Amino acid sequence: MAEGMGDVNGLADDRALLGRTSTAERVSDILRSRIAAGFFPPGTRLSEDSIGGALGVSRNTLREAFRLLTHERLLEHQLNRGVFVRMLTDADVVDIYRTRALVECAVVRGLGEPPFAVDGLADAVSDGRRAARAGDWKGVSTANIDFHRELVALAGSERTDELMRSVFAELRLAFHVVDDPRRLHEPYIARNLQILEALQEGRRDDAEALLVEYLDESRRRVVEAYGRRGAEGGADERGDA
């Protein structure tokens, strides 16, 4: 597995988020966000000394945060080597999309009677279109994840939100190794808009059908990107975080 360069310098700026009641959960929240944003790419070995020093937390607190993120499948411990950001397999990607289809389609199917509260979806679509015009494909990816997070939130279930937070974080790991983010993400700007318009018009069944098609195509594209990565020999060798 490749070891990726990570940016620990910016972590010092996150110390204020910890406050006086520093906890492993808060540290894990910070690291999860940093992993999702690509500061620690898949394959990065996470240094306890560097990260603990940047955040100003104890080794025990950091190890507990690592344990929490390992439970979420974002990190993995390799014997005698340390803790690494996970590099997903093709099977991981397929399972993530299977979970997404089960949950997201069930949310749309169970929406009840219109009108639906889709303002959050509309904002995410606008953000994605704006990022695409600027050529910011990482921003498009973020807006896409936000769209689907808002869609899940329509269920009004904290437990479902919590489940999918972890799934979407894993999905970002997959996106970070895609060689052509524009090719992957650009088609879904229009697809998200179609789903939004169907929900705005109260066409729940049409929205679900569009979502099924969307998730199937997205799964195929990401698996295809993983295949290209493998054919090209995987990620480059990098250093520690």
Side-chain angles (χ1 to χ4, degrees), residues 7-19 30 34 39-40 50-56:
D7 180 5
V8 300
N9 295 324
L11 286 178
D13 297 333
D14 290 327
R15 280 197 189 194
L17 299 177
L18 298 175
I30 290 170
R34 289 283 175 164
F39 286 94
F40 302 124
S50 297
I51 294 174
L55 288 175

Side-chain angles (χ1 to χ4, degrees), residues 109 131 138 161 186 208:
R109 195 179 312 123
K138 180 181 287 188
D161 291 343
E186 190 171 30
E208 183 182 356

Side-chain angles (χ1 to χ4, degrees), residues 194-215:
Q194 289 176 333
I195 294 170
L196 170 63
E197 289 176 341
L199 291 174
Q200 286 174 325
E201 296 167 7
R203 295 183 288 111
R204 183 185 57 205
D205 291 346
D206 289 345
E208 183 182 356
L210 289 166
L211 182 59
V212 169
E213 183 179 337
Y214 172 112
L215 291 172

